[in-house]
Amino acid sequence: MRSLDLRHIAEQCVTLVADQFDRRLDWTLDSLEVLDEVCASLSAEQLAEDRLELWWKLVGAYTGEVLIGAYGGEWGSHPDTTAPVVLVQGCTAQPFTIAHRVLTGEPFKSLASFGRVFPAIIAQSGRP
């Protein structure tokens, strides 16, 4: 997927969350807390496979775009996954992986925590 396609998918996430959940996503790290709440509602429904895939795309793209906006990264690829990743200062974030974990109700997984911990990951990597 191209970065323009991913941005468009992220915009669709914003629209759908507003329409279906009456919640506002504003492209900030704080908005990932709102999206965590939406995902908790969705995972409680035990989404059918087609709905899970739709929300996985929406949530993954939105989370990636928030990371790019917050940390100046870009979309890229990684040999460990077929899903797009976000590259920031030589580090790789996998927003689609965390989106799947959150949407399937994996304990202790959070989009907001994932977004906020990224500077510490970069610092630990020793990259500037």
Side-chain angles (χ1 to χ4, degrees):
M1 278 188 247
R2 298 175 321 164
S3 60
L4 289 175
D5 295 336
L6 291 164
R7 179 64 184 202
H8 178 72
I9 293 169
E11 290 167 352
Q12 290 176 325
C13 182
V14 172
T15 301
L16 200 55
V17 165
D19 290 350
Q20 290 192 3
F21 294 91
D22 198 28
R23 304 297 305 266
R24 184 173 174 264
L25 300 177
D26 64 4
W27 305 96
T28 64
L29 288 171
D30 287 342
S31 71
L32 293 177
E33 289 179 21
V34 173
L35 195 50
D36 274 329
E37 294 168 7
V38 168
C39 289
S41 294
L42 290 165
S43 70
E45 295 176 23
Q46 297 184 346
L47 296 171
E49 192 64 35
D50 58 338
R51 286 197 67 216
L52 176 61
E53 185 171 338
L54 168 68
W55 280 104
W56 169 77
K57 286 179 185 177
L58 296 168
V59 171
Y62 180 81
T63 303
E65 285 292 326
V66 167
L67 292 177
I68 289 168
Y71 305 119
E74 64 185 5
W75 287 106
S77 61
H78 192 274
D80 290 345
T81 181
T82 57
V85 299
V86 173
L87 306 171
V88 179
Q89 298 179 27
C91 292
T92 303
Q94 297 184 9
F96 288 92
T97 299
I98 193 71
H100 186 268
R101 289 177 172 170
V102 170
L103 285 164
T104 56
E106 187 174 320
F108 311 112
K109 297 300 177 194
S110 161
L111 302 167
S113 294
F114 174 72
R116 289 192 181 109
V117 77
F118 210 67
I121 293 169
I122 293 168
Q124 273 191 327
S125 75
R127 293 180 171 95

